[in-house]
Amino acid sequence: MNILVPRLLLALAYPLLAHAASARGSNGLAILALADLALVILLEPLLRGRGAAWLAAGLVAAGLWRLSTSAHALLPLLLVPVLVLAFIAWMFGRTLRAGRVPLISSIVSALEQTPAAQLAPELQHYTRRLTGAWALLLAALALANLLLALVAVPRGLLASAGIATPWPVTEAQWSWCAHLLNYGLVGGFFAGEFQFRKRVFPGRYRSFAQFLRCMGGLGPTFWRGLLR
């Protein structure tokens, strides 16, 4: 069962729902955004009928129902970008340890249909440095999002704890950064690095669209294995 498209649509819907919830101060939209995020994670095992996934879905639904009646329904939205960015940064960074294949090296190895150890030395060096660059970028974004979540008013982390901040930002400003600017920076880095890579390693890809098709052609099994 191919769930890539519905999962992608759910993932794309989350930042829009979360931004609308923050901009309007809407508990209902916040709960809907969190439910959407839970579905992104649980959709595949739910459709496969796995009992643990249905149990998790029930617990999530009960938790969201309880959260909807509290004054803190918007608080989890503050932490989602931080946790997601930090997790992905860790996924990149952990592959830089001795004895591991850097994450970008693994992707290029699959695209080139060549074992990572047999890639050209300059390509191995480049992909290792690029893996480190992604880890640093994502870690920096996670830290920036945490700082903004702390100083957002009136329902930021510090404000919710009754602590005044000397550098407040509005929730709308936080939301633009957390739900839209993040994607712009990551997408810009991805596209800019591709253009740079075309100059450093000419002749490998005809266009950005062709490169994306090659990435998509690796298939869900490859991407799941890469994230283990």
Side-chain angles (χ1 to χ4, degrees), residues 66-168:
R66 180 68 180 272
L67 187 63
S68 69
T69 62
S70 77
H72 304 294
L74 291 164
L75 271 181
L77 298 182
L78 293 167
L79 295 175
V80 168
V82 178
L83 296 175
V84 170
L85 289 165
F87 174 73
I88 301 176
W90 174 77
M91 293 295 295
F92 276 89
R94 69 172 185 156
T95 64
L96 295 172
R97 294 181 301 194
R100 298 290 300 269
V101 177
L103 191 143
I104 302 295
S105 302
S106 296
I107 296 173
V108 172
S109 170
L111 290 172
E112 300 278 331
Q113 298 183 346
T114 302
Q118 295 179 20
L119 293 172
E122 62 273 17
L123 193 55
Q124 291 187 43
H125 178 69
Y126 180 83
T127 53
R128 182 175 185 83
R129 292 185 65 184
L130 181 57
T131 300
W134 271 112
L136 288 174
L137 172 65
L138 293 164
L141 286 175
L143 179 59
N145 277 264
L146 177 59
L147 294 175
L148 288 172
L150 284 168
V151 300
V153 292
R155 290 178 292 264
L157 298 178
L158 290 178
S160 296
I163 302 172
T165 173
W167 304 288

Side-chain angles (χ1 to χ4, degrees), residues 164-185:
T165 173
W167 304 288
V169 299
T170 67
E171 286 182 7
Q173 290 171 327
W174 162 80
S175 187
W176 278 106
C177 292
H179 299 127
L180 299 171
L181 182 59
N182 283 342
Y183 289 85
L185 291 173

Side-chain angles (χ1 to χ4, degrees), residues 87-88 90-91 94 103 221-228:
F87 174 73
I88 301 176
W90 174 77
M91 293 295 295
R94 69 172 185 156
L103 191 143
T221 301
F222 167 79
W223 294 109
R224 281 196 295 267
L226 189 68
L227 297 176
R228 290 197 180 107

